[in-house]
Amino acid sequence: MASLKLAVLISGRGSNLQSLIDACAEESFPAEIVTVISNVHGVKGLERAHKAGLPTVVIDHKEFKDRENFEDALHDVISGAGADLVCLAGFMRLLTGDFVRRWQDCLINIHPSLLPAFKGLHVHEKVLEAGARFSGCTVHYVRPDMDSGPIIVQAAVPVHGDDTPDTLATRILEQEHRIYPLAVRLIASGRVRVENERVIIDGAVAPDAGMINPAED
Ligand code: GAR
């Protein structure tokens, strides 16, 4: 099977980008990164991409007169790189409905909660504030509403009584690094489709009490 071409969009640290770089380095992984785009100059994620020998582009939203112009530039770079799938990996800009529709079902995001709960920013603070017993992370197709769209893969983690936002974020990040490559592998293997705004994964077994991602091989 031909390798799925990924554009990875970042704004900062890039640890999820790193998990995709590491996955793609495995010979049997059915995807490759063709471009890494950051909307912020000088971030750690760009360093990670350089180290891996990947092409990078900075498209600084502040240099554009409006969102539309920024997104046109984004679109041109992604298309020019020949990407099949756009992976938002800590990309902290909201995308307009126009952009999202242009990449319908070819645009995925990772979010550090069990969506649809706890959308937006300061997720771990909100989870602790709510007294939730579990949190986790979600990889989903992007739709115009923030942090919404068909869910591809999730992982749950327990919330401990003595958790701080940082300790919870660290426990969840470990799972993010597991499920983002998993979601990409499932898509790249042609096992994922969207039907009536729900994701169907060929060959997935029934959910095991919701604790472990059912799609894992
Ligand atoms: C990750 O925890 C990711 O889930 C979150 O930003 C962090 C980026 O870390 N994304 C969002 O909150 C998007 N709504 P990274 O730069 O080390 O991958």
Side-chain angles (χ1 to χ4, degrees):
M1 193 182 295
S3 185
L4 194 78
K5 293 182 167 48
L6 312 178
V8 184
L9 273 54
I10 60 168
S11 298
R13 175 179 59 182
S15 71
N16 279 291
L17 162 67
Q18 188 67 55
S19 75
L20 294 173
I21 290 172
D22 294 345
C24 290
E26 285 166 30
E27 211 174 304
S28 63
F29 196 75
E32 63 186 298
I33 299 171
V34 292
T35 184
V36 174
I37 303 171
S38 173
N39 68 314
V40 183
H41 288 277
V43 293
K44 176 89 196 283
L46 286 167
E47 227 176 85
R48 296 178 192 269
H50 290 146
K51 210 165 171 188
L54 295 171
T56 62
V57 182
V58 175
I59 306 177
D60 182 349
H61 57 277
K62 296 198 290 294
E63 288 162 14
F64 293 84
K65 76 172 191 313
D66 55 26
R67 235 171 238 279
E68 204 181 37
N69 278 265
F70 167 66
E71 290 183 353
D72 281 345
L74 211 51
H75 179 83
D76 288 349
V77 171
I78 297 167
S79 316
D84 307 303
L85 181 70
V86 182
C87 304
L88 306 181
F91 184 72
M92 302 313 250
R93 292 295 294 170
L94 288 176
L95 295 165
T96 66
D98 279 349
F99 182 89
V100 169
R101 278 184 287 272
R102 279 205 259 185
W103 291 94
Q104 169 95 7
D105 295 345
C106 298
L107 173 59
I108 64 176
N109 180 45
I110 186 153
H111 181 77
S113 78
L114 292 174
L115 290 174
F118 305 109
K119 298 177 178 182
L121 296 174
H122 310 298
V123 170
H124 310 300
E125 284 86 345
K126 288 191 269 189
V127 166
L128 294 175
E129 171 82 20
R133 300 298 188 205
F134 287 91
S135 190
C137 46
T138 303
V139 181
H140 63 99
Y141 284 108
V142 175
R143 293 294 183 260
D145 288 340
M146 182 189 63
D147 296 326
S148 74
I151 291 167
I152 306 164
V153 185
Q154 290 183 308
V157 306
V159 178
H160 297 161
D162 59 355
D163 263 331
T164 64
D166 281 352
T167 58
L168 183 56
T170 303
R171 192 172 317 116
I172 290 173
L173 196 61
E174 229 173 82
Q175 295 305 312
E176 293 187 42
H177 298 161
R178 193 174 67 86
I179 68 168
Y180 215 176
L182 170 62
V184 170
R185 181 155 55 86
L186 290 167
I187 293 169
S189 312
R191 289 176 57 190
V192 176
R193 63 182 195 279
V194 181
E195 257 178 36
N196 299 323
E197 288 299 87
R198 291 184 58 191
V199 165
I200 313 285
I201 299 176
D202 290 339
V205 293
D208 177 7
M211 280 295 296
I212 308 289
N213 160 41
E216 192 160 29
D217 283 342

